[in-house]
């Protein structure tokens, strides 16, 4: 009986080998060098800015260098009128630029989304300014605004205005002139993102709306805009951050002038650090700008309910 039971006992299944964790870790090991490099290039500058914001650091005056605590921040908020002037102008610049770029970009996206002869060429012409660098864009518009060879001379030839007029040197015209120059380069950004989202709108929705008798305006308001909500929120947020940090165009176009009326906060920071060599105070201003952008971005995303469904 014991021998029969031993024969009837099923064989013990072989033990499974424990899966090696190396294949699962391999992707992380492969991207680790690049991730460490990116972390170093990003984390070190950010940490150094926070560090120097608490320091009095000016290489041209080493005897004054040392720990300053919150003195740089106190000076910015209570003793530096240029900080508030540049901050107010930065807000004005961002609001006007982003609003106009969104308006014209949406219009262009709706136009090039239609079917017409030469649509591919039209899209290429619409998107081409976005491929031009900020400094090159500034150089182009500096030539266009030149009082001797630019637009104002041809307008004077037509009897509009006078010869020798420079829109970039007049405090009453420099802001609109700078706005137009940046619009030329910024509008395609919105047109590209919005057009990409327009391609995913189902044509069945528009056909059903036409059957129900909805006009083009109602189709745009109740179908197109709700579908474009996330694209508009994301594009306006990204462009607002970029416009707030806009230095290359305004620096090349106006240099912050005339009389400092086109000096944004980042341009003021650049002048404080590069020209005045006051890196401690410039780092404090950079920290303030970072906090402002972070706070405004979080509030904007919360209020716009980005990524959520409309009820």
């Amino acid at each position: 009986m014991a021998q029969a039971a031993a024969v009837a006992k099923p064989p013990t299944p072989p033990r499974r080998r424990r899966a090696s964790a190396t294949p699962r870790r391999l992707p992380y090991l492969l991207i680790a060098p690049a991730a460490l490099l990116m972390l170093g290039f990003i984390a070190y500058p950010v940490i150094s800015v926070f560090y120097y914001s608490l320091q009095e650091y000016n290489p041209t005056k080493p005897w004054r260098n040392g720990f300053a605590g919150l003195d740089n921040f106190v000076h910015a908020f209570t003793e530096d009128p240029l900080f508030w002037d540049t901050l107010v102008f930065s807000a004005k610049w961002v609001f006007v630029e982003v609003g106009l770029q969104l308006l014209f970009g949406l219009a262009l996206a709706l136009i090039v989304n239609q079917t017409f002869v030469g649509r591919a060429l039209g899209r290429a012409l619409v998107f081409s300014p976005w491929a031009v660098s900020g400094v090159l864009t500034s150089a182009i518009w500096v030539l266009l605004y030149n009082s001797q060879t630019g637009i104002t001379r041809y307008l004077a030839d037509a009897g509009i205005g006078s010869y020798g007029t420079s829109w970039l040197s007049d405090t009453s015209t420099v802001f609109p002139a700078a706005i137009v120059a940046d619009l030329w380069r910024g509008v395609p950004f919105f047109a590209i993102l919005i057009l990409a989202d327009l391609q995913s709108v189902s044509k069945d929705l528009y056909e059903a709306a036409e059957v129900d008798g909805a006009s083009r305006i109602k189709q745009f308001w109740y179908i197109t805009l709700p579908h474009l909500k996330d694209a508009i929120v994301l594009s306006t947020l990204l462009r607002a951050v970029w416009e707030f940090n806009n230095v290359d165009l305004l620096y090349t176009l106006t240099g912050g002038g005339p009389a400092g009326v086109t000096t944004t906060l980042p341009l003021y920071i650049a002048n404080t650090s590069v020209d005045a060599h006051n890196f401690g105070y410039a780092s404090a201003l950079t920290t303030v700008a970072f906090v402002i952008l972070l706070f405004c971005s979080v509030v904007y995303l919360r209020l716009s309910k980005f990524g959520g469904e409309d009820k």
Side-chain angles (χ1 to χ4, degrees):
M1 295 294 293
Q3 185 177 3
V7 174
K9 185 177 180 180
T12 303
R15 298 179 63 182
R16 295 181 180 180
R17 294 182 178 180
R18 188 174 182 179
S20 175
T22 302
R24 290 179 296 178
R25 296 176 182 176
L26 183 60
Y28 301 99
L29 294 176
L30 292 176
I31 65 173
L36 290 175
L37 286 175
M38 291 182 61
L39 183 63
F41 281 109
I42 295 176
Y44 175 74
V46 172
I47 294 174
S48 64
V49 166
F50 290 154
Y51 170 77
Y52 283 114
S53 67
L54 302 175
Q55 305 290 322
E56 180 71 30
Y57 181 65
N58 189 331
T60 62
K61 301 176 182 178
W63 60 88
R64 297 180 57 182
N65 296 343
F67 181 73
L70 299 178
D71 291 348
N72 289 325
F73 297 96
V74 173
H75 177 72
F77 285 103
T78 62
E79 302 175 7
D80 188 3
L82 290 178
F83 166 74
W84 292 106
D85 293 341
T86 55
L87 182 60
V88 170
F89 177 76
S90 297
K92 177 183 176 182
W93 173 264
V94 170
F95 181 80
V96 175
E97 272 292 345
V98 175
L100 292 178
Q101 288 178 20
L102 173 62
L103 180 63
F104 289 114
L106 177 60
L108 280 178
L110 292 173
I111 292 173
V112 297
N113 190 46
Q114 304 299 318
T115 302
F116 56 89
V117 178
R119 183 174 67 171
L121 178 61
R123 288 181 175 180
L125 293 176
V126 168
F127 301 152
S128 57
W130 180 245
V132 182
S133 67
V135 175
L136 183 56
T137 299
S138 304
I140 293 172
W141 284 93
V142 165
L143 294 176
L144 289 175
Y145 289 145
N146 187 279
S147 59
Q148 302 299 324
T149 60
I151 299 174
T152 56
R153 177 179 177 180
Y154 293 101
L155 291 177
D157 291 340
I160 303 175
S162 57
Y163 290 99
T165 302
S166 177
W167 291 343
L168 297 179
S169 60
D170 190 342
T171 55
S172 62
T173 58
V174 64
F175 181 72
I179 288 291
V180 172
D182 200 44
L183 279 177
W184 180 78
R185 183 169 178 255
V187 167
F189 170 78
F190 283 94
I192 293 171
L193 289 184
I194 294 175
L195 177 63
D197 209 26
L198 281 174
Q199 302 294 314
S200 62
V201 182
S202 176
K203 295 182 179 180
D204 296 338
L205 296 175
Y206 295 104
E207 293 176 357
E210 289 181 0
V211 171
D212 292 339
S215 63
R216 289 292 183 90
I217 297 178
K218 289 185 177 181
Q219 292 179 29
F220 173 76
W221 188 260
Y222 292 105
I223 298 177
T224 306
L225 274 184
H227 186 86
L228 296 176
K229 173 193 169 185
D230 285 347
I232 291 175
V233 171
L234 180 61
S235 59
T236 51
L237 177 60
L238 292 176
R239 196 60 188 166
V241 173
W242 290 339
E243 289 296 343
F244 184 89
N245 294 318
N246 191 335
V247 173
D248 53 355
L249 186 138
L250 286 175
Y251 182 81
T252 309
L253 198 64
T254 67
V261 296
T262 59
T263 302
T264 59
L265 181 57
L267 186 55
Y268 178 47
I269 293 172
N271 293 333
T272 303
S273 58
V274 177
D275 296 338
H277 305 289
N278 193 349
F279 293 98
Y281 186 56
S283 298
L285 294 178
T286 304
T287 303
V288 173
F290 171 78
V291 173
I292 292 174
L293 286 177
L294 180 62
F295 175 77
C296 292
S297 299
V298 172
V299 171
Y300 181 64
L301 291 176
R302 288 291 184 90
L303 293 178
S304 62
K305 298 180 181 179
F306 176 73
E309 296 182 359
D310 296 331
K311 295 182 179 181

